[in-house]
Amino acid sequence: MHLQKFTTIFLNNYAFFTKRNYNILVGEEFFMEKTKQKVIKRKPMKHKALFRTVSILLVILTSIFLVKLLCIGILGLKHIVSLCGILFLVEAFLLFVLNKRFKVVIKIPFLVLAVLLICVFSYGSYSLEATTRFAMKIAENISYEEKYYVYVVNSSGHSSADGLTASKLGIFDSKGKTLEEAVRLLKKKASFEEEKKYDDLGALFEDCTDGKIDVILLSSTLEEIASEEYTDLFYQLKSIGEVSVKTKANVKKSNVDVTNDPFLVYISGIDTYGSIANISRSDVNILVAVNPKNNKVLLVNTPRDYYVKLHSKKAFDKLTHAGNYGIEESITTLEDLYHTDIDFYVKLNFSSLIKIVDTLGGITVESKYNFAYDGHSFHKGKNTLNGSAALAFSRSRKELPLGDISRGENQEAVIKGLIEKVTSPSIITKYKRLLDTLGNSVVTNMSDVEMFALAKMQLASNPTWTVETKNARGSDAYKTAYSAGKTKLYVMDPDETSVNEVIQALNEILEEN
């Protein structure tokens, strides 16, 4: 009885499971067959290679851009994280649309957006790389070059320094660091039976034109003085050769934190065209005091003919002649004058200014007077200037009522015009060209890290800077100058009250918290 009941239950269950498994197997086969048919019938996604290529490029170029942006340190971590979050969301959506089976007409706008982002990140990466190269280039410790020219009288039969033999050589003893090396290099080209040193430029030229000496070795810096002060004698001579001596700048490094501590920058505009490495007179001498705590800037102009004691020579001369002995001489001389420490310098020359202004598409300056100089006319009020006009505006002196003081005011106006143009939206289209121009036209001892720190601070808080000016004054005089020996030159005697006012103004900016 029990065995019969058990057998019946077993057979019934076996029949149920067998039937169910059969149905399952049949269903799976049917499903697989249908799926296979669908796969076979499904058309391939149109332009799949294009969408995939754009997607890959977008991811790669975005990554490169973000890495470069992070390395350059121009944005803070907070801004970098925010930017990464936004880009992740935008690009994740773009990649989803581009790589899913939507109609091509739907994908086209997103494809265009992806291509635009690729272009933006490509240009951005290139610009960041150019910015890094530029900052490193202008912050290099470059070699300065001083040229010495070999002069003989116009009637001399000599046309090259290589042919000079048994001649008498006259040398103005400037006591410069490069003079001895220049004489040594000249002696490799010529032989001299006699050498005579002079401490008076006038006597040197007179002896040469009178035949007491045959050859003069004159530095390029003294050549400029000679052509201005001894025009008649100087143009009785001709140059038949030159030697060049290179030296390294030896300017102390500053430990100031440019984003938190006040600092002082010396802007030196040297009186030459051509290479920025040339040693020459410093025609522009402007101190820029910056206080990042209260966003104040003070521009101080010191007239080029200010009669000051040269730091290393311990003798009086024009401030402009300090540049003849290198940028460090100008810096230390101004430090002595104003009892302060200069943290950084920026050096440029005539060619630099012309190139920079032209690259920017011109600048607008405010003139206090109507005047004309070097073929350019300026009127009272706003003037739009190209490179050559900006240089003329900066150099004019005798045409202005206050001479050197008015010229200093014009130079400050040019600096303001440059700042306004560089910070305007139009700079975007000129960015790369400007970097190329500045890279070959400006040198500084500010490191690339310090430059980027200032840029980062400006981008992070976008402060509004208050700019003030304070100019040193003086009175006309004629006195002997170290660079010209016993020769009396036009100078400007400092007004002590004016100097003290500058000192006080600098201290207020540099010490105020």
Side-chain angles (χ1 to χ4, degrees):
M1 183 67 181
H2 291 291
L3 179 60
Q4 185 180 359
K5 188 178 182 180
F6 174 79
T7 303
T8 301
I9 293 172
F10 173 79
L11 290 173
N12 288 337
N13 286 336
Y14 176 78
F16 172 79
F17 282 109
T18 301
K19 184 178 180 181
R20 184 172 184 272
N21 288 341
Y22 172 77
N23 291 336
I24 290 173
L25 288 173
V26 170
E28 285 182 353
E29 289 178 2
F30 177 77
F31 175 77
M32 290 176 66
E33 184 64 26
K34 287 291 185 183
T35 304
K36 186 177 180 181
Q37 290 176 3
K38 286 183 180 180
V39 171
I40 292 173
K41 291 180 180 179
R42 198 170 192 181
K43 294 180 181 180
M45 188 169 66
K46 290 183 179 180
H47 311 298
K48 181 178 180 180
L50 172 63
F51 294 131
R52 182 159 294 179
T53 300
V54 170
S55 300
I56 293 171
L57 282 175
L58 181 60
V59 172
I60 292 174
L61 290 171
T62 303
S63 301
I64 292 174
F65 174 75
L66 290 174
V67 168
K68 287 186 178 294
L69 195 61
L70 188 61
C71 291
I72 204 172
I74 203 168
L75 289 180
L77 183 60
K78 175 177 152 186
H79 292 87
I80 290 285
V81 171
S82 299
L83 181 61
C84 287
I86 293 171
L87 289 178
F88 175 79
L89 293 175
V90 171
E91 293 190 10
F93 180 71
L94 282 176
L95 295 176
F96 173 77
V97 174
L98 293 177
N99 293 280
K100 287 296 181 179
R101 289 184 171 276
F102 295 103
K103 291 182 179 180
V104 173
V105 69
I106 296 175
K107 292 185 176 183
I108 287 177
F110 299 97
L111 178 66
V112 172
L113 178 58
V115 171
L116 286 175
L117 287 176
I118 287 172
C119 294
V120 168
F121 292 134
S122 298
Y123 180 76
S125 299
Y126 177 71
S127 297
L128 289 173
E129 182 65 28
T131 302
T132 303
R133 289 198 306 269
F134 156 75
M136 293 177 68
K137 184 173 184 179
I138 69 169
E140 289 175 349
N141 187 20
I142 71 165
S143 294
Y144 292 111
E145 183 177 26
E146 185 166 10
K147 293 183 178 180
Y148 285 79
Y149 297 103
V150 182
Y151 280 92
V152 295
V153 293
N154 290 329
S155 58
S156 171
H158 295 290
S159 59
S160 171
D162 296 327
L164 294 172
T165 56
S167 303
K168 295 178 181 179
L169 175 65
I171 305 168
F172 181 79
D173 189 9
S174 63
K175 300 180 177 62
K177 295 183 294 185
T178 59
L179 178 60
E180 185 178 337
E181 177 63 12
V183 173
R184 187 186 70 80
L185 292 173
L186 179 60
K187 286 181 178 179
K188 287 185 174 183
K189 298 181 177 183
S191 60
F192 302 97
E193 65 179 24
E194 183 182 338
E195 295 177 24
K196 185 178 180 180
K197 289 188 176 182
Y198 291 79
D199 61 2
D200 189 310
L201 275 176
L204 174 65
F205 292 132
E206 287 175 359
D207 280 2
C208 188
T209 54
D210 290 343
K212 294 178 182 178
I213 57 174
D214 305 305
V215 184
I216 290 177
L217 181 65
L218 197 66
S219 71
S220 57
T221 54
L222 288 173
E223 182 188 50
E224 295 160 354
I225 298 172
S227 63
E228 292 177 358
E229 304 296 334
Y230 303 98
T231 305
D232 293 338
L233 290 171
F234 180 74
Y235 286 105
Q236 294 181 43
L237 308 175
K238 65 179 181 180
S239 175
I240 60 171
E242 68 177 59
V243 293
S244 298
V245 181
K246 290 186 177 181
T247 56
K248 286 278 189 182
N250 186 27
V251 181
K252 65 182 184 297
K253 291 288 185 181
S254 175
N255 294 321
V256 68
D257 180 353
V258 294
T259 60
N260 291 302
D261 303 327
F263 59 92
L264 191 58
V265 182
Y266 169 51
I267 298 178
S268 172
I270 62 172
D271 190 16
T272 62
Y273 292 90
S275 173
I276 190 65
N278 290 341
I279 290 180
S280 181
R281 298 178 299 182
S282 184
D283 204 42
V284 177
N285 300 279
I286 293 178
L287 295 178
V288 183
V290 182
N291 190 323
K293 289 280 182 90
N294 53 27
N295 304 322
K296 288 184 178 180
V297 175
L298 175 67
L299 300 180
V300 174
N301 175 68
T302 307
R304 67 187 293 276
D305 293 324
Y306 233 41
Y307 197 56
V308 295
K309 182 181 282 189
L310 301 182
H311 177 81
S312 67
K313 309 301 179 184
K314 308 303 180 187
F316 282 89
D317 203 339
K318 294 183 180 187
L319 174 60
T320 184
H321 292 165
N324 294 342
Y325 308 104
I327 189 77
E328 59 268 36
E329 186 69 28
S330 297
I331 289 174
T332 51
T333 298
L334 283 168
E335 287 179 334
D336 293 344
L337 177 64
Y338 294 126
H339 308 297
T340 190
D341 292 321
I342 295 173
D343 301 292
F344 307 106
Y345 74 85
V346 176
K347 180 184 175 186
L348 66 162
N349 62 10
F350 290 166
S351 298
S352 305
L353 181 62
I354 293 173
K355 291 177 183 176
I356 292 168
V357 173
D358 284 340
T359 300
L360 290 172
I363 60 172
T364 300
V365 300
E366 186 83 23
S367 176
K368 292 184 176 181
Y369 316 101
N370 296 314
F371 68 99
Y373 178 73
D374 198 21
H376 298 277
S377 296
F378 309 97
H379 58 268
K380 186 176 180 180
K382 292 188 181 298
N383 295 258
T384 301
L385 311 178
N386 63 12
S388 60
L391 177 61
F393 187 79
S394 301
R395 295 192 69 196
S396 176
R397 175 184 54 168
K398 295 179 181 179
E399 296 74 17
L400 301 174
L402 299 179
D404 244 350
I405 294 174
S406 295
R407 172 163 60 180
E409 292 172 344
N410 284 355
Q411 290 168 353
E412 289 173 338
V414 168
I415 291 175
K416 289 181 181 179
L418 288 170
I419 293 173
E420 288 174 0
K421 198 61 179 281
V422 168
T423 55
S424 69
S426 64
I427 193 64
I428 295 174
T429 60
K430 304 177 180 71
Y431 180 73
K432 178 60 175 59
R433 285 176 54 212
L434 180 61
L435 289 185
D436 291 339
T437 300
L438 290 174
N440 297 315
S441 306
V442 176
V443 290
T444 180
N445 66 333
M446 181 177 284
S447 70
D448 56 334
V449 174
E450 288 161 332
M451 292 182 210
F452 293 142
L454 282 173
K456 179 179 177 180
M457 178 189 69
Q458 184 69 28
L459 289 172
S461 55
N462 193 28
T464 300
W465 296 87
T466 303
V467 181
E468 301 174 353
T469 61
K470 178 68 70 172
N471 300 321
R473 302 183 301 274
S475 55
D476 299 341
Y478 281 86
K479 294 184 177 181
T480 56
Y482 174 82
S483 296
K486 296 178 180 179
T487 304
K488 286 188 176 182
L489 305 177
Y490 166 80
V491 299
M492 181 180 286
D493 264 336
D495 178 88
E496 290 303 321
T497 301
S498 170
V499 172
N500 289 332
E501 288 175 355
V502 170
I503 292 173
Q504 182 178 351
L506 285 172
N507 288 339
E508 288 176 359
I509 290 289
L510 298 174
E511 295 177 4
E512 187 176 351
N513 293 320

